Amino acid sequence: MCGIVGYTGKKKAAPILLDGLEKLEYRGYDSAGIAVRDGDKDATVVKAKGRLKVLSEKTDAGKAIKGTCGIGHTRWATHGEPSENNAHPHITDDFNVVGVHNGIIENYQQLREKMIRKGYKFYSDTDTEVAIKTIDYYYKKYTHDPIEALAKTMVRVRGSYALAVMFKDHPGKIFVARKDSPMIVGVTKDESFVASDVPAILKYTRNVYYIDDLEMACLESGTATFYNLDGDVVEKTPVEIDWDASSAEKEGFEHFMMKEINEQPRAVSDTLGSFVSSEDDKYKIDFTSAGFTDEEIKAFTQIYFVACGSAYHVGMAAQYVIEDLAGLPVRCELASEFRYRNMPIDKNTLVVIISQSGETADSLAALRKCKEIGIKTLAIVNVVGSSIAREADHALYTLAGPEISVATTKAYSAQLALSYVLAIEFASVRGTIDEEKKQALLTELVTIPEKIKKTLEDKERIQWFASKLAAQKDIFFIGRGIDYAICMEGSLKMKEISYIHSEAYAAGELKHGTISLIEEGTFVIGSLTQSELYEKTLSNLVETKTRGSYLMALTSFGNYSIEDQADFVVYVPKIDDHFAASLAIIPLQLMGYYVSCARGLDVDKPRNLAKSVTVE
Ligand code: G6P
């Protein structure tokens, strides 16, 4: 959450900072600010409440601010309401230290009181201001060495942070520290960049250094030096990011979300392509990048999917597929619950952490908990080099490319595709499917990208239907089995970007309470892609219809009898039932998108949300 960017070089810093912040605005967008230094003059700090464009207007797109070294921040408020006062950067009264921060300082009250006793004044409600003043305090107390001051602060601070700080006595330098909040550094011939996420600096360099937990860095134009907590220099090799800069641009689409919805055939086909290939009309899976031996795969007694948000919904769908194909019991846990739960876990369990960003605080904490108790972990991650990818015992990458819209679409689809590969591979190694079945499944699997493309062709009808939904107060999604998992994700898409209350229910649960909410005109969307459950779910839909619901059904081509019951039907291409979520989710993503547009909302940056949830 929140976005940080820093630049030191020969060019004017402010326009570069604003450009970088624009790429990061999906991480937080309630206020923003920059601090820029012109040679050894004091820092100029400009902040603004609201979207980045307010800050940009205030600074004439950065052109009004002189200086070639600076830091910037776009905020998602944790401590203190969104306001100019609480916006970063925060600075000491004598301009000695100015800094920006992502994360949460848990013991900030304690530190604040201490700093007040030491004579510091506070002007905001933020934990960040406490961190900046603590750094200043240690800088002045000891040897006036920025790295030492940062290190001393780091051992006293509890919580998570990515900090970018400038010191008055060190013009042209940016100092950085990190714990549990992502931070990367990019260096070119005569410029250096720091950012909380890759898209901010992709335009300038693809080679990035990852700062590890409890490490620091000092950036000067064209160089970066890394330090551990003892102040020793740490050698690092850069990692090449193979995303291209244009993938973080809208490329003619009105919103990133629509662009990313349309990128799904490619995201899925690239992801599948990195594991599945064909030779002489036979498909094979190359699972070596996961690093499991067959013996290990055979020894697992159960799988836990642990994730947050849409990634959790991927686990929900995948659990049905794995249980059915590989005969392994699967549990799905919300990372925020799992991390604090004291439960007995069999030592032969595999915990699969799914995460687009690889930085979600709860997912990372869940992963660390597993490592602590000696449970094997596999990460399914989109961002190369992210914390979850690096810390898991095994890691597999989705190839969705950078995802900017807060509401995930292509990363979800790529994760889902990868989970099917996992299911088929585990089933095959464990001998629960034979070669013939494996070939049949893979033959179907590789058709997903083309079928997603076909599903996308139905856009206009969904757009029309969305205009009817736009005035609704409540929408209910119901389904069974994989359809229930589809409904969970469809409902989340709807509520997060349209702000319409929506709920997903296992169709059989309706009778246990929720059906009392159905009245004349209530919108109910039923997902019916699972042939064995079709009749059952249909009965539940009819039960709502007899109580006055307006019914939309989502099913496969061929199930035309549904027209007798439903008021509106969306068909998706036929596919093996196991993979139905990959197609059925597309109309639901489109529906959320179009309803949000029809209501005139900010599709890519829905209120109160941020893409990468790096605080608890
Ligand atoms: C946020 C995003 C969701 C995402 C969830 C988990 O809530 O808006 O789209 O599913 O975080 O993020 P992760 O990066 O771990 O997949």
Side-chain angles (χ1 to χ4, degrees):
M1 298 193 134
C2 304
I4 288 180
V5 62
Y7 170 83
T8 179
K10 295 195 165 44
K11 297 194 193 116
K12 218 173 197 181
I16 296 174
L17 297 177
L18 289 172
D19 181 62
L21 289 178
E22 196 192 316
K23 304 280 181 321
L24 295 183
E25 215 188 0
Y26 63 87
R27 296 182 68 101
Y29 32 82
D30 57 43
S31 53
I34 53 173
V36 178
R37 293 198 62 186
D38 181 16
D40 56 7
K41 294 199 186 105
D42 284 341
T44 307
V45 178
V46 190
K47 314 199 245 188
K49 184 181 166 191
R51 294 289 159 89
L52 196 61
K53 66 174 192 303
V54 186
L55 181 66
S56 184
E57 278 159 15
K58 221 170 162 176
T59 57
D60 188 19
K63 293 197 280 280
I65 313 287
K66 276 197 181 148
T68 58
C69 176
I71 50 179
H73 189 264
T74 172
R75 181 168 185 251
W76 187 90
T78 58
H79 293 63
E81 54 161 19
S83 68
E84 194 167 313
N85 230 13
N86 288 332
H88 306 199
H90 291 281
I91 190 159
T92 54
D93 287 341
D94 59 0
F95 285 64
N96 187 44
V97 180
V98 57
V100 294
H101 160 235
N102 286 354
I104 291 181
I105 312 280
E106 284 164 7
N107 56 339
Y108 85 106
Q109 276 297 6
Q110 236 174 304
L111 283 170
R112 192 175 206 261
E113 280 154 28
K114 176 173 170 179
M115 289 305 129
I116 289 172
R117 286 199 300 276
K118 302 285 176 197
Y120 285 92
K121 285 205 179 70
F122 285 87
Y123 307 97
S124 76
D125 307 317
T126 64
D127 51 343
T128 305
E129 192 183 1
V130 177
I132 300 308
K133 293 190 173 165
T134 309
I135 295 169
D136 182 70
Y137 169 73
Y138 287 118
Y139 181 82
K140 288 174 178 156
K141 182 169 177 193
Y142 294 102
T143 53
H144 287 64
D145 174 37
I147 292 295
E148 188 182 6
L150 280 173
K152 290 264 185 312
T153 307
M154 286 160 85
V155 291
R156 274 154 189 89
V157 151
R158 272 203 320 273
S160 60
Y161 49 82
L163 282 158
V165 182
M166 296 190 293
F167 292 77
K168 189 178 191 156
D169 307 336
H170 299 269
K173 291 187 187 172
I174 300 171
F175 294 87
V176 176
R178 158 200 162 137
K179 180 178 168 273
D180 293 341
S181 194
M183 197 74 139
I184 53 156
V185 167
V187 179
T188 63
K189 204 168 130 274
D190 39 29
E191 297 172 307
S192 295
F193 303 84
V194 62
S196 47
D197 207 352
V198 174
I201 62 173
L202 210 51
K203 204 159 138 183
Y204 312 102
T205 178
R206 301 251 194 100
N207 294 317
V208 303
Y209 297 92
Y210 287 91
I211 304 182
D212 283 314
D213 271 349
L214 296 176
E215 283 185 352
M216 295 165 283
C218 169
L219 276 69
E220 285 178 79
S221 105
T223 61
T225 316
F226 301 93
Y227 302 89
N228 64 19
L229 204 51
D230 296 326
D232 302 328
V233 171
V234 180
E235 291 304 328
K236 281 189 186 283
T237 32
V239 175
E240 194 186 334
I241 306 289
D242 61 3
W243 294 352
D244 74 59
S246 69
S247 45
E249 306 284 345
K250 277 193 208 141
E251 289 176 331
F253 285 93
E254 203 176 328
H255 299 102
F256 277 110
M257 184 174 178
M258 188 43 109
K259 174 182 174 248
E260 289 160 5
I261 286 175
N262 277 283
E263 283 173 347
Q264 291 181 106
R266 191 206 43 76
V268 171
S269 116
D270 285 359
T271 303
L272 289 178
S274 67
F275 300 99
V276 182
S277 59
S278 76
E279 217 177 271
D280 304 330
D281 283 344
K282 270 196 120 182
Y283 289 99
K284 61 171 198 245
I285 298 178
D286 181 354
F287 212 58
T288 43
S289 60
F292 289 115
T293 61
D294 284 1
E295 283 58 45
E296 278 177 301
I297 294 177
K298 282 181 193 152
F300 291 127
T301 52
Q302 60 175 345
I303 292 183
Y304 275 60
F305 280 107
V306 181
C308 303
S310 297
Y312 170 76
H313 296 156
V314 169
M316 274 189 72
Q319 72 180 342
Y320 294 100
V321 183
I322 295 182
E323 285 185 342
D324 191 44
L325 295 180
L328 260 173
V330 183
R331 270 176 77 156
C332 222
E333 294 285 333
L334 291 165
S336 52
E337 289 292 313
F338 179 88
R339 64 180 291 189
Y340 292 119
R341 198 156 145 190
N342 220 345
M343 53 184 178
I345 307 182
D346 187 284
K347 287 279 172 216
N348 294 316
T349 300
L350 173 67
V351 169
V352 183
I353 308 274
I354 308 177
S355 176
Q356 186 283 125
S357 62
E359 301 292 350
T360 301
D362 286 322
S363 306
L364 183 58
L367 170 77
R368 289 180 178 162
K369 171 180 170 145
C370 293
K371 295 196 81 179
E372 246 170 61
I373 56 178
I375 302 291
K376 277 231 167 70
T377 54
L378 163 69
I380 294 183
V381 181
N382 195 41
V383 178
V384 176
S386 54
S387 304
I388 292 176
R390 285 181 297 153
E391 292 187 29
D393 300 317
H394 305 262
L396 291 173
Y397 287 105
T398 48
L399 301 182
E403 193 178 60
I404 307 296
S405 170
V406 167
T408 180
T409 52
K410 63 173 179 170
Y412 168 89
S413 287
Q415 289 161 349
L416 210 47
L418 183 32
S419 75
Y420 302 150
V421 177
L422 181 80
I424 299 171
E425 174 70 4
F426 271 42
S428 161
V429 171
R430 294 168 66 88
T432 50
I433 56 168
D434 59 16
E435 185 58 27
E436 194 185 337
K437 176 78 181 166
K438 178 177 173 181
Q439 288 302 321
L441 286 166
L442 290 172
T443 308
E444 281 282 277
L445 185 70
V446 297
T447 66
I448 295 177
E450 214 27 65
K451 289 178 180 168
I452 293 180
K453 227 183 249 170
K454 184 109 199 70
T455 311
L456 284 167
E457 286 168 11
D458 212 12
K459 276 208 224 31
E460 282 71 27
R461 277 185 80 235
I462 293 166
Q463 186 171 16
W464 167 83
F465 184 67
S467 61
K468 285 171 92 71
L469 282 179
Q472 291 306 303
K473 275 224 189 78
D474 307 284
I475 302 174
F476 295 92
F477 291 76
I478 63 168
R480 287 169 186 258
I482 289 176
D483 283 310
Y484 176 37
I486 295 167
C487 286
M488 291 291 289
E489 177 60 7
S491 167
L492 178 61
K493 286 289 89 86
M494 182 60 73
K495 72 182 86 164
E496 67 180 333
I497 53 174
S498 76
Y499 313 156
I500 295 177
H501 165 250
S502 79
E503 286 189 47
Y505 262 81
E509 265 300 289
L510 268 187
K511 286 194 193 69
H512 300 287
T514 313
I515 201 160
S516 68
L517 296 171
I518 307 293
E519 51 189 20
E520 200 57 39
T522 306
F523 259 73
V524 175
I525 298 178
S527 182
L528 308 100
T529 66
Q530 302 297 296
S531 35
E532 280 185 15
L533 300 168
Y534 179 86
E535 296 293 341
K536 302 263 174 227
T537 307
L538 185 57
S539 308
N540 298 130
L541 286 177
V542 171
E543 284 158 13
T544 71
K545 177 115 190 166
T546 46
R547 286 156 182 87
S549 73
Y550 184 93
L551 214 56
M552 174 190 140
L554 177 58
T555 190
S556 312
F557 281 110
N559 292 334
Y560 302 119
S561 62
I562 195 91
E563 304 267 352
D564 300 339
Q565 309 296 346
D567 298 292
F568 181 72
V569 184
V570 174
Y571 295 100
V572 293
K574 281 194 171 150
I575 195 154
D576 183 292
D577 281 3
H578 294 100
F579 312 138
S582 290
L583 306 186
I585 197 57
I586 307 294
L588 300 183
Q589 294 169 341
L590 289 168
M591 213 174 289
Y593 173 83
Y594 285 125
V595 173
S596 179
C597 291
R599 288 166 69 98
L601 301 174
D602 192 341
V603 179
D604 285 335
K605 298 185 195 102
R607 69 183 177 205
N608 306 338
L609 295 176
K611 180 138 193 86
S612 193
V613 183
T614 50
V615 294
E616 256 190 80

